Amino acid sequence: AMEFEELGIREECGVFGCVAAGEWPTELEVAQVITLGLVALQHRGQESAGIVTSNGASPPVYYSHKGMGLVSNAFPPEALQKLEYGNLGIGHTRYSTTGISELQNCQPFVVETLHGKIAVAHNGELVNAQKLRKQVMRHGVGLSTSSDSELIMQLLALTPPMEELDTPDWVARIKNLMTETPTSYSLLVMHQDVIYAVRDPYGNRPLCLGRLVPSSRLQGAGGETGSAETEGWVVSSESCGFQSIGARYYREVLPGEIVQISKHGVKTLSVVPRPEGDPPAFCIFEYVYFARPDSIFEGQMVYSVRQRCGRQLAIEAPADADVVSTVPESATPAALGFAQQAGLPYVEVLCKNRYVGRTFIQPNTRLRQLGVAKKFGALTDNFAGKRVVLVDDSIVRGNTISPIIRLLREAGAKEVHIRVASPPIRFPCYMGINIPTKEELIANRPEFENIARYIGATSVVYLSVEGLVAAVQGGVASREEKDAVIGGKASRKGGHCTACLTGKYPVELEW
């Protein structure tokens, strides 16, 4: 996990929207709900955050606030006051993939169209952005930022050929956008009194819906709540924040689905199909690394998938060892799964100092060499004289794990076996994840031939691609999926994008 933190494999964004149900002006603090929703998505981007709320009138009045840094910095109390008259709104937390990190690139974007203002928040990266930028500019539209999201907004603002001048057909416009670009986007579009939630036909990025229920109902048992019990609807990149805002998980937005969220509820307007025979392509790295472990995708909790990855790893790559552990925090479920499967005790070998920021400046060589020791203390009693299996979720370049192995060996570990709960990353991602260049990835370097010696481990084994796919699909709800996996058809990327591991991209790349 540290690998990612320091070397910038990053998911680029999180989106969150909220619509109050019942009478407007609403009693629901929409801006507050969105802020808390973004805090729960903070792991998806720490660079900037923005919220646009609307009174939903026609024409609507928009209130907007954007800020750099973490949500808590970007939204001081006075900023929330500025947003407090909203009956609906959308928010965004950003890590830049395309586009430099400046406030002008901070979403949501707002634009005037023939039919009034729209606001757009987007997670993903358009595979054919270059081509689309030229297309938009040919229409005489200037682009003021380098981000894909502005491009999406301009494509939505262009009138589709069949539209009458006085009645905007937003479904037609969104479909038009979806035929222009196949992937990757989860998109929130706010217009007048509704939010359109859109997931690309390949379902590459996640998006789900939640129902806000009165706090008195949350304590009670599950069960469906009547519509009178619904205070509003939320839409989010991940479901992990739902508890913190008093929402219940409702369902995922399906690949290609256009959902309209209004004060009256949630309604499917259309589902745009993929080209014949193409399977869906949900990013498998959401499960491996990006998502918060308490999020639900495809009917299963991310934590459980990571645990299955660990079990699978123990089956594929057992080790003669005494204890199993991990580099805190993100690979813990995989390490627990490995330990259960291997029948070995799980112990903690490292204690993390949570106050060391990532941006700690190392003024001299001595401090630079002590880098890892600033971040971790060794819990010597748990492993001195023992053979340790250290489970990590990914090794990208190999230069962060070696000092940790050294730290453990100096503190008395007899052997250190590294087990990686995901396959080696070998290829760049064009779907919105910032992966280092091909040359920088250790899996493509000569050192990889003897990676154990290179990083100072007793042995190193990665999970196989088939193992990862089996672990992920083992819990996917539908029966057919399971049959497909058992029937060995999983190699058809059965519903998941594994491009960074296999080089098989879900769509032809156009440059």
Side-chain angles (χ1 to χ4, degrees):
M2 289 192 39
E3 286 283 329
F4 281 118
E5 277 172 40
E6 291 174 11
L7 299 166
I9 281 221
R10 274 286 189 294
E11 172 71 54
E12 76 297 40
C13 315
V15 295
F16 193 92
C18 174
V19 180
E23 290 301 303
W24 287 0
T26 179
E27 298 288 291
L28 185 70
E29 292 173 320
V30 170
Q32 198 80 51
V33 170
I34 298 171
T35 307
L36 286 170
L38 291 179
V39 167
L41 296 175
Q42 189 77 82
H43 58 286
R44 295 182 77 85
Q46 296 95 41
E47 190 172 292
S48 61
I51 294 177
V52 177
T53 58
S54 161
N55 64 352
S58 133
V61 181
Y62 275 22
Y63 313 92
S64 158
H65 181 79
K66 296 175 179 183
M68 298 303 286
L70 299 179
V71 176
S72 50
N73 297 352
F75 291 93
E78 60 274 20
L80 283 174
Q81 259 165 338
K82 195 168 89 171
L83 300 164
E84 71 184 346
Y85 301 107
N87 293 313
L88 70 165
I90 59 177
H92 186 269
T93 176
R94 177 164 188 273
Y95 172 79
S96 65
T97 43
T98 49
I100 37 181
S101 82
E102 283 174 10
L103 211 47
Q104 64 159 13
N105 266 328
C106 174
Q107 300 183 44
F109 287 129
V110 176
V111 67
E112 286 284 355
T113 74
L114 267 177
H115 311 292
K117 279 183 174 171
I118 59 167
V120 174
H122 157 247
N123 165 216
E125 193 173 341
L126 304 182
V127 288
N128 56 346
Q130 271 1 71
K131 190 177 111 183
L132 290 173
R133 289 180 84 83
K134 287 195 186 109
Q135 195 173 313
V136 165
M137 288 172 177
R138 263 187 219 110
H139 278 270
V141 174
L143 294 167
S144 58
T145 72
S146 52
S147 88
D148 283 358
S149 315
E150 186 194 17
L151 185 56
I152 286 176
M153 206 166 56
Q154 297 296 357
L155 286 163
L156 287 172
L158 294 174
T159 311
M162 312 305 291
E163 188 173 281
E164 303 291 314
L165 270 182
D166 47 353
T167 54
D169 181 345
W170 286 104
V171 179
R173 287 174 175 230
I174 292 168
K175 279 181 153 173
N176 196 42
L177 166 81
M178 291 166 95
T179 49
E180 292 289 352
T181 182
T183 192
S184 115
Y185 43 89
S186 281
L187 200 58
L188 301 182
V189 180
M190 180 165 69
H191 178 253
Q192 286 185 352
D193 55 353
V194 299
I195 292 173
Y196 299 101
V198 184
R199 202 166 160 205
D200 78 52
Y202 287 86
N204 186 257
R205 303 272 128 226
L207 197 62
C208 66
L209 301 160
R211 183 207 287 266
L212 286 170
V213 296
S215 45
S216 57
R217 294 283 314 181
L218 279 169
Q219 274 73 55
E224 270 306 295
T225 43
S227 55
E229 298 273 333
T230 302
E231 294 188 333
W233 292 90
V234 290
V235 56
S236 175
S237 291
E238 291 182 44
S239 60
C240 55
F242 287 179
Q243 266 169 323
S244 65
I245 52 171
R248 282 230 182 93
Y249 180 78
Y250 184 63
R251 68 173 180 86
E252 279 191 324
V253 175
L254 300 171
E257 187 178 17
I258 304 172
V259 175
Q260 177 186 303
I261 309 165
S262 70
K263 63 161 121 179
H264 308 297
V266 166
K267 186 167 136 202
T268 302
L269 300 180
S270 184
V271 179
V272 175
R274 287 179 297 282
E276 198 54 49
D278 276 9
F282 179 49
C283 169
I284 208 155
F285 248 72
E286 289 283 354
Y287 282 116
V288 171
Y289 180 75
F290 301 123
R292 225 172 76 170
D294 53 337
S295 286
I296 295 168
F297 298 138
E298 303 178 299
Q300 53 185 346
M301 196 170 267
V302 170
Y303 188 98
S304 311
V305 173
R306 290 180 184 165
Q307 216 166 359
R308 282 202 299 274
C309 286
R311 283 182 171 273
Q312 183 68 29
L313 188 57
I315 294 168
E316 289 182 12
D320 269 337
D322 307 304
V323 294
V324 176
S325 193
T326 183
V327 183
E329 210 89 17
S330 56
T332 305
L336 285 165
F338 190 102
Q340 283 163 358
Q341 187 65 42
L344 291 170
Y346 170 83
V347 298
E348 291 182 351
V349 295
L350 295 168
C351 167
K352 192 174 188 175
N353 173 0
R354 66 182 67 170
Y355 301 102
V356 176
R358 272 178 45 231
T359 48
F360 199 97
I361 294 151
Q362 285 121 0
N364 61 34
T365 325
R366 177 180 164 75
L367 284 181
R368 207 170 298 126
Q369 282 163 349
L370 293 171
V372 170
K374 285 199 313 281
K375 217 166 185 178
F376 295 106
L379 299 166
T380 320
D381 286 1
N382 288 352
F383 64 88
K386 292 181 175 159
R387 300 165 300 171
V388 180
V389 175
L390 197 65
V391 177
D392 205 352
D393 47 17
S394 37
I395 295 180
V396 184
R397 293 185 193 168
N399 53 0
T400 345
I401 191 89
S402 12
I404 287 177
I405 297 170
R406 196 162 58 241
L407 185 76
L408 294 178
R409 285 195 184 271
E410 282 166 7
K414 202 162 143 195
E415 295 177 358
V416 181
H417 298 271
I418 301 292
R419 293 294 177 269
V420 189
S422 66
I425 297 177
R426 298 173 186 272
F427 301 92
C429 172
Y430 301 107
M431 268 70 69
I433 291 159
N434 187 8
I435 285 181
T437 61
K438 231 174 149 165
E439 297 68 49
E440 292 175 288
L441 296 166
I442 190 153
N444 296 329
R445 299 177 67 99
E447 298 86 284
F448 195 66
E449 288 307 305
N450 197 337
I451 186 171
R453 190 166 58 197
Y454 179 68
I455 65 176
T458 314
S459 71
V460 179
V461 191
Y462 284 79
L463 183 61
S464 68
V465 174
E466 301 71 40
L468 172 61
V469 170
V472 166
Q473 296 187 349
V476 172
S478 82
R479 195 56 244 167
E480 306 80 49
E481 289 269 37
K482 285 187 183 163
D483 291 344
V485 175
I486 294 159
K489 297 198 192 78
S491 58
R492 257 195 76 88
K493 299 202 302 292
H496 296 95
C497 179
T498 57
C500 59
L501 314 171
T502 60
K504 292 186 192 122
Y505 294 90
V507 293
E508 293 293 311
L509 301 168
E510 311 171 27
W511 299 114

